[in-house]
Structures are given as structure tokens and as C-alpha cells.
Amino acid sequence: MRRKIMGMNYLRLAEVFAQPKKNKTVSVRGWVRTFRANRFIALNDGSTQQNLQCVVDFENTEQALLKKINSGAAVQITGKLVESMGSGQSVEVLVEQLNVVGEADPELYPIQPKKHSFEFLREKAHLRVRTATFSAVMRIRSVLSFAIHQFFQEKGFCYVHTPIITGSDAEGAGEMFRVSTLDAKNPPLDDEGAVDYKQDFFGKETHLTVSGQLEGETYAQGLGNIYTFGPTFRAENSNTSRHLAEFWMIEPEMAFYELEDNMNLAEAFIKYILEYILGKCEKDLEFLDQRLANEEKTKPQNERSPMGLIEKIKFVVENDFKRVSYTEAIDVLRNCKPNKKKRFEYLIDEWGADLQSEHERYLVEKHFNAPVILYDYPAKIKAFYMRLNEDEKTVRAMDILFPGIGEIVGGSQREERLEVLEKKIETLGIDPEELWWYLDLRRFGSTPHSGFGLGFERLVLFATGMNNIRDVIPFPRTPQNASF
Ligand code: ATP
Ligand code: MN
């Protein structure tokens, strides 16, 4: 892939390293990561983790030009590609021509060649992708997205774009962002003094979607197997390292699938995409593996993770996920040490308790030592659309729990029986009018069917070994923060 600009063929660094044209003249361009000893430029153009060392002949280069070669500057370089004497690189460029395209004032450019904290870099989110860590994370994010489409497309699933603005709030009551064009200072009021949304843009209250599932189900009941992959919005005020207000979710939905088919698909899906990056993102993963190893060294011995990043990914790819019912999990948790010694923040004493992240992580990291698929949850703690089991107490839900993360997938077999669903909606006080179209699916050609939602950023967290979800999306949206 070559671009001809101003009479020159520029190579991307990934191409330079893939097939080094030794002793040939090459032209490259990118940004200066560092400039050492007035001689060595570490150049990066974003196409690969590796920097290209470009050696400047400083004796024959004007002082004024040397002064412009600073971290962050954009440069074009032409020179001979030769075998490198230095360690850590196979080839380097002996600079013959150097053009500073865009300067970066070293007094002002915030990304200096030293270790910056991730907190600091979040405030410079527009520049952080020029660091080794963030560019690696974002390349992996891109390859993962592609692998997701490839997995489903190979299996004949249809990619469906469900709406982002939704008029149904059955699922996310209280957790939704309102979409409105009404004058916030002076909204029209109805006879009872409440805001009159009939006069709003859509003639009713509308919100940003919290999930494409309900609409996804309608398409599965015609196309068979579908998936969505789009933005999702939740106004939950959870300021954790696992929650964003805007995140991306993959939601497949399959007609005629029962819970076990659903689990099989979810497990095969996760393994496929992780295996895909092991093959395609080797350099980036090695870099992040090393980064994580260095970080682990700063922790006390007993808090260190026993596995490195690549090792963890391989472990997930190569081993069966443990399938455990909620009831079995509660038994484990009730009798475990941190529960008995009251070290959990939320103690587990009864069947029916909702699981918190600390419990999920105990099961995965301490007890089973593997990803866990928990299924058959109490109906009371799960959504209205999940299929009721014969015991009438549990529903065919399944969550996948991952080490270091907790819940990464939430899914279920859906309730396909009209009467059972209607009864459920009634007991929960949901207005059936709101869901008339969803209930229609159970009136006309209803099938047992299933689906799940995988939070894309939680997957990227796992795949990159990063700790905070704010660092795996370009511009994170969280409570009190929508900068950039
Ligand atoms: P949690 O209990 O962690 O808040 P949830 O039960 O609300 O998750 P679901 O409604 O089942 O999650 O959503 C499906 C998936 O979407 C989750 O398994 C998770 O991977 C992801 N997810 C949910 N909420 C968020 C969020 N605020 N930010 C990022 N990802 C999320
Ligand atoms: Mn949640």
C-alpha cells in the first residue's frame, strides 16, 4: 500500500519492517517519539508498535533544523535503509533528507519522553494515542471489531442496525439519557403541570438506547440469526473502572436457540476473537504484556497476577469455561472464607442475593480459576424478558464472568410464551401498551430464542491488560466528564 505524494513513495512503518528493503532508499513519515544525542530519531507513524530509528548526520545538518526535531513533531524522512548496529531493531534509516512538516514546541507539548500516568493522559485524550500504550490498545480495539464482524459473517448472521433513539423505556427505567428539543428553561406544561412531551420533537418522551435487544429480537424472528454492534448509553451513576456512560455492545439474537446453544455460541465467539488477535496483534500484545508485567512488579507479591497478559488470553482460548448454576455459586460463596470472615462488602447469606463484582471475581479468580458461565438466576434479580424455568423461581439467564473484570456478557433465553410474558409484565407494573410490538412477536410465529450482550470495552480491557475502562475507548464519557 503506497501513497504517492509530492513525487515520493512513502512507506508505512509496518511495511518497512515486514519486508525491509535493505540498502534501498526509502521515504517515511510520522511523528518523532524521541530525539537522542542530536542523532537518533525514534519515528512512529501509528501503523505498528515498533519505532523506526532514523540516524541524522548532525555534523552536516543545520543547527536550526536540528532544533525543530522534538518529541511530537511531524516529519518526512528519506534515506537509505540499512541493517542496524543498535540493539532492539533490525533496520534503521540513514537520513539524507529531513523535512519538519509540523513542529511541536517542547515547552508546550505535553507528551514528553517519560512515564506519564494514565490519569494525566486522560486529560490529554486528544494526544494520548501518540503514546506506545494507547496506540497499541487502539489498534487491538480495531482488530477486535473486525474479528467480531468476521465471526458472525462467517456464520451467516445478519448485521442489524437497531435505533439509537428509542421511544420505549421498558428496559432501562431511570438509567436513560433523555433526547429532547424542548426549551430546558421553559418547557411546555400539560394540564397537570408536568412537562408536555407531546410537544417535543417526536411527540413523546424519547431516550438514547440502553440496549438493542428488544429490536434485535424482532429481526431475529425473520432473519433467523442477527447481531448488532453499536453504541449504548447508560446514565447509571456508577463511577467504577468497569462502567462508561457511552459504550459499545455486541448483541446477537438467535431464533430457535435455547440457553445451551446460547452459551455455546458466546463461548465460541469470545475464543474466536481472542485467538484472532493472538495471530494478528503479536507485537502490540507483547508490548502490553511487558507493560503489565512491569506494573505487576510494583505490587506486593500476594496481589500479583499469576499469569501474564498473553498467557491469560491463551488460557481463555484453550480452556472450557466453567458452567455453574446460580444455586451452586451461592453455595460456594456462602461457605467461602471472605464471606465467613466478613471480608466481602456485601455478605452472602441467602439464595436470591444479587451478585456483586467482588463475588463474581471471587468465583472466577479464586474458586474456579477460569472464566465462568453462571446460569439459572433467580427471576427476581433479572429482567422481565428472560424465560421462566419449570421451578417458577429461576430464569434461563446466563452471565459470563471474566478474571479481573467480572461480568463481560449478560444473556438469556427469552420468554417466548405470550401468557407467561404478559403475566410477568403485569406483576412488574410495566404498561403492555409500551411493548405491543414486542408482544406481537409472541403472537405470530413465536419461537424459543436467545441472545446475549457483550460489552465491547470490557473485552478490550481483558485483551489489553489495561485496568480502567476509560483507557480503552478514545474519548470516555463518565459522570461529570464529556470533554473532547
Ligand atoms: P453490570 O452489572 O456490570 O453493570 P449489567 O448487568 O448492567 O452489567 P447488561 O445489562 O447485562 O449489564 O449488559 C450487557 C453487557 O454490557 C455487560 O455484560 C457488560 O459487559 C456491558 N456493560 C453493561 N453496562 C456497562 C457500562 N456502563 N459500561 C461498559 N460496559 C457495560
Ligand atoms: Mn449495570
Side-chain angles (χ1 to χ4, degrees):
M1 213 189 2
R2 276 178 200 182
R3 275 154 220 89
K4 211 171 160 101
I5 289 182
M6 295 188 299
M8 289 236 224
N9 285 319
Y10 286 95
L11 291 176
R12 300 213 73 198
L13 298 195
E15 301 169 79
V16 172
F17 293 121
Q19 287 172 318
K21 296 190 167 47
K22 280 188 204 158
N23 302 315
K24 292 263 160 60
T25 299
V26 297
S27 293
V28 291
R29 53 190 169 179
W31 294 268
V32 175
R33 282 274 168 84
T34 59
F35 186 39
R36 251 185 332 111
N38 255 346
R39 249 194 114 178
F40 301 107
I41 298 175
L43 183 77
N44 195 284
D45 68 355
S47 66
T48 166
Q49 182 59 37
Q50 268 177 293
N51 296 331
L52 179 63
Q53 174 154 289
C54 302
V55 187
V56 179
D57 176 3
F58 69 99
E59 281 167 359
N60 296 309
T61 306
E62 277 174 54
Q63 198 60 30
L65 182 57
L66 288 176
K67 278 227 159 70
K68 291 184 186 170
I69 309 175
N70 293 305
S71 293
V75 296
Q76 293 174 331
I77 287 173
T78 297
K80 200 195 240 183
L81 190 71
V82 298
E83 198 142 334
S84 176
M85 315 284 203
S87 63
Q89 69 238 349
S90 54
V91 288
E92 61 188 24
V93 171
L94 303 179
V95 176
E96 286 156 18
Q97 230 185 71
L98 187 149
N99 179 15
V100 176
V101 181
E103 292 180 47
D105 185 339
E107 304 276 311
L108 301 174
Y109 183 60
I111 316 289
Q112 288 302 319
K114 61 166 194 173
K115 198 169 159 42
H116 293 294
S117 72
F118 290 147
E119 288 78 11
F120 171 83
L121 289 171
R122 259 169 240 154
E123 302 189 340
K124 313 279 180 247
H126 59 309
L127 296 170
R128 67 179 178 171
V129 78
R130 298 192 196 182
T131 64
T133 300
F134 284 94
S135 55
V137 168
M138 293 306 156
R139 276 189 298 269
I140 291 173
R141 186 181 163 107
S142 164
V143 175
L144 279 170
S145 309
F146 181 80
I148 286 163
H149 285 293
Q150 182 156 299
F151 174 84
F152 286 118
Q153 296 287 331
E154 276 176 359
K155 286 199 164 346
F157 280 55
C158 192
Y159 179 30
V160 173
H161 298 101
T162 48
I164 289 173
I165 297 175
T166 167
S168 85
D169 65 352
E171 240 216 299
E175 285 196 353
M176 301 178 99
F177 290 101
R178 172 169 290 123
V179 176
S180 172
T181 53
L182 292 179
D183 180 357
K185 264 206 218 124
N186 191 19
L189 302 179
D190 63 16
D191 297 344
E192 268 130 52
V195 174
D196 185 8
Y197 289 105
K198 288 209 184 73
Q199 296 185 46
D200 205 345
F201 189 91
F202 295 105
K204 62 182 294 197
E205 268 193 276
T206 50
H207 298 90
L208 293 177
T209 185
V210 294
S211 157
Q213 179 202 321
L214 303 191
E215 291 89 348
E217 280 184 51
T218 68
Y219 266 62
Q221 296 302 327
L223 292 170
N225 295 338
I226 65 100
Y227 71 105
T228 71
F229 184 3
T232 310
F233 306 87
R234 294 195 184 173
E236 50 193 349
N237 213 342
S238 19
N239 229 326
T240 75
S241 57
R242 310 276 172 263
H243 290 88
L244 290 163
E246 175 180 300
F247 63 101
W248 288 66
M249 184 144 66
I250 297 104
E251 295 180 277
E253 200 63 43
M254 295 75 62
F256 304 105
Y257 268 50
E258 303 206 2
L259 187 67
E260 201 180 337
D261 306 312
N262 201 24
M263 293 189 209
N264 293 344
L265 181 79
E267 183 169 342
F269 168 54
I270 293 175
K271 287 178 168 169
Y272 178 98
I273 53 186
L274 289 176
E275 192 168 11
Y276 191 88
I277 59 163
L278 284 175
K280 287 272 195 273
C281 304
E282 212 181 335
K283 284 271 174 331
D284 285 326
L285 287 172
E286 276 166 15
F287 173 82
L288 291 170
D289 189 283
Q290 193 55 51
R291 184 205 76 78
L292 189 62
N294 293 341
E295 186 184 277
E296 288 289 310
K297 277 187 214 143
T298 66
K299 292 183 187 166
Q301 199 95 40
N302 61 343
E303 284 172 27
R304 287 184 203 169
S305 160
M307 278 193 231
L309 174 62
I310 295 175
E311 212 179 339
K312 264 197 294 198
I313 297 175
K314 285 193 174 145
F315 183 87
V316 169
V317 170
E318 287 161 11
N319 290 283
D320 289 344
F321 296 5
K322 294 272 173 355
R323 301 186 182 191
V324 183
S325 73
Y326 167 90
T327 304
E328 290 169 70
I330 282 293
D331 278 342
V332 169
L333 289 169
R334 216 182 325 194
N335 297 312
C336 76
K337 233 181 175 180
N339 198 54
K340 291 196 156 154
K341 299 212 157 153
K342 302 199 175 355
R343 269 189 262 125
F344 281 149
E345 192 180 334
Y346 297 88
L347 295 177
I348 300 280
D349 45 36
E350 286 183 42
W351 189 94
D354 204 352
L355 301 187
Q356 306 294 327
S357 165
E358 57 181 342
H359 310 124
E360 298 175 342
R361 293 186 58 173
Y362 176 84
L363 291 172
V364 173
E365 291 161 32
K366 298 280 181 325
H367 191 81
F368 291 107
N369 281 310
V372 172
I373 309 184
L374 276 190
Y375 61 91
D376 286 352
Y377 280 74
K380 280 212 181 82
I381 60 172
K382 288 290 183 187
F384 74 90
Y385 49 71
M386 298 189 180
R387 193 183 198 282
L388 194 62
N389 274 314
E390 285 61 48
D391 63 13
E392 306 223 329
K393 264 174 32 188
T394 61
V395 286
R396 288 194 194 162
M398 64 114 185
D399 282 3
I400 302 186
L401 314 179
F402 253 49
I405 295 197
E407 181 187 330
I408 193 162
V409 162
S412 66
Q413 183 172 335
R414 319 306 189 190
E415 183 56 75
E416 86 283 13
R417 298 163 298 181
L418 181 64
E419 325 72 65
V420 182
L421 190 57
E422 279 178 331
K423 215 171 117 202
K424 186 70 182 275
I425 286 174
E426 196 191 309
T427 32
L428 290 177
I430 301 170
D431 180 3
E433 278 305 302
E434 281 278 323
L435 287 170
W436 66 273
W437 51 274
Y438 189 71
L439 292 168
D440 261 5
L441 300 179
R442 280 75 184 164
R443 287 191 183 100
F444 312 119
S446 191
T447 68
H449 64 286
S450 301
F452 61 84
L454 175 128
F456 185 49
E457 283 74 19
R458 294 208 186 157
L459 177 81
V460 182
L461 264 185
F462 178 77
T464 58
M466 299 292 281
N467 298 317
N468 195 311
I469 200 160
R470 293 166 178 78
D471 297 331
V472 299
I473 187 165
F475 298 103
R477 269 75 181 101
T478 49
Q480 297 299 310
N481 174 38
S483 309
F484 306 98

